[in-house]
Amino acid sequence: QSEAAAAATAFALAVEVQQQQEGSLEEASEGHAVNEAVMLRGVDPRCHAEASLDLDGPAVAWGISHRTADAAECCARCISHAEERSRQRDRGGDGGHGACNSWVFCPEEVCWSPDIWNHTKGECWLKVQQDPRAPKVNFRGGYPADFRRHHSTAPPHVAWQAGVILPSAPS
C-alpha cells in the first residue's frame, strides 16, 4: 500500500471513529438521513472534501473576507497557501508554521454556525489542523437534537463543505 493510500485509509478510519463517538446520524438529525462522509465531486482528490462538514482550527484566512466561487476553489487556495509557506521555509524562512491543511466553504446563501457572525455564500476559511489525519470536527452531517434544543436557530443539517490536505509522503 502506498504512503498516500495509507494516509487516506488512516483519514477514513479517523472519520469512522469520530462517527462512532458522536452516535448515529439518524439520532443526530432526528431521522433525516444524510451520509456523513459524502465526498464532493469535482474537487481535487487531495482535498478530501466532504459535504456537511464543519472543521475547527485556527484560521490563516478569515472566511468572512476571503471568498471563493466553490469548494474546489477554496481547497485550491488552501493548497496554494501551503505550497507558498513551503517555499518560504525552503528559502530559510519560518514557512512551515501556519500552513493551511484544512478548509471550510459555505455553499449556501447562509451557513449556520454557533458564533456571532452571519456566514454567507462563498466564505472560504483556510485553517490549520494539528494533525490533518485526525481533524478536529465541529459538526458532521446533522446537528445533534440536544444541541438544536439549546441552539434554536440551528438547522437540521450542516451546510458547510470542508476537507483536509494530508501531508505528502517523504521522498
Side-chain angles (χ1 to χ4, degrees):
Q1 190 174 25
S2 73
E3 289 288 327
T9 300
F11 177 73
L13 181 58
V15 167
E16 184 177 330
V17 168
Q18 178 85 27
Q19 290 169 350
Q20 290 171 355
Q21 290 172 346
E22 292 173 355
S24 78
L25 178 61
E26 291 274 328
E27 293 170 18
S29 62
E30 300 176 327
H32 299 279
V34 173
N35 183 346
E36 289 188 340
V38 176
M39 303 308 281
L40 296 175
R41 296 179 192 266
V43 179
D44 186 323
R46 296 177 293 172
C47 299
H48 299 279
E50 290 184 36
S52 299
L53 176 63
D54 180 14
L55 295 174
D56 199 4
V60 294
W62 194 255
I64 291 172
S65 58
H66 182 252
R67 297 184 174 266
T68 61
D70 55 29
E73 183 182 355
C74 186
C75 176
R77 288 198 187 172
C78 183
I79 291 170
S80 293
H81 182 272
E83 289 171 347
E84 177 57 31
R85 300 294 280 183
S86 179
R87 284 190 292 276
Q88 289 173 356
R89 185 184 62 244
D90 291 347
R91 291 190 302 262
D94 188 23
H97 298 290
C100 183
N101 63 11
S102 64
W103 54 275
V104 181
F105 175 75
C106 177
E108 297 184 9
E109 292 305 315
V110 175
C111 291
W112 190 87
S113 186
D115 60 24
I116 64 169
W117 306 104
N118 292 317
H119 298 284
T120 57
K121 188 172 188 166
E123 287 186 25
C124 173
W125 294 79
L126 303 185
K127 297 184 174 190
V128 177
Q129 297 287 325
Q130 184 173 357
D131 181 0
R133 288 183 180 91
K136 175 81 170 131
V137 175
N138 285 330
F139 298 98
R140 174 182 272 122
Y143 293 105
D146 188 54
F147 179 86
R148 291 184 59 228
R149 278 191 283 284
H150 291 85
H151 296 85
S152 61
T153 59
H157 297 92
V158 176
W160 299 93
Q161 299 173 339
V164 296
I165 313 301
L166 299 176
S168 300
S171 313

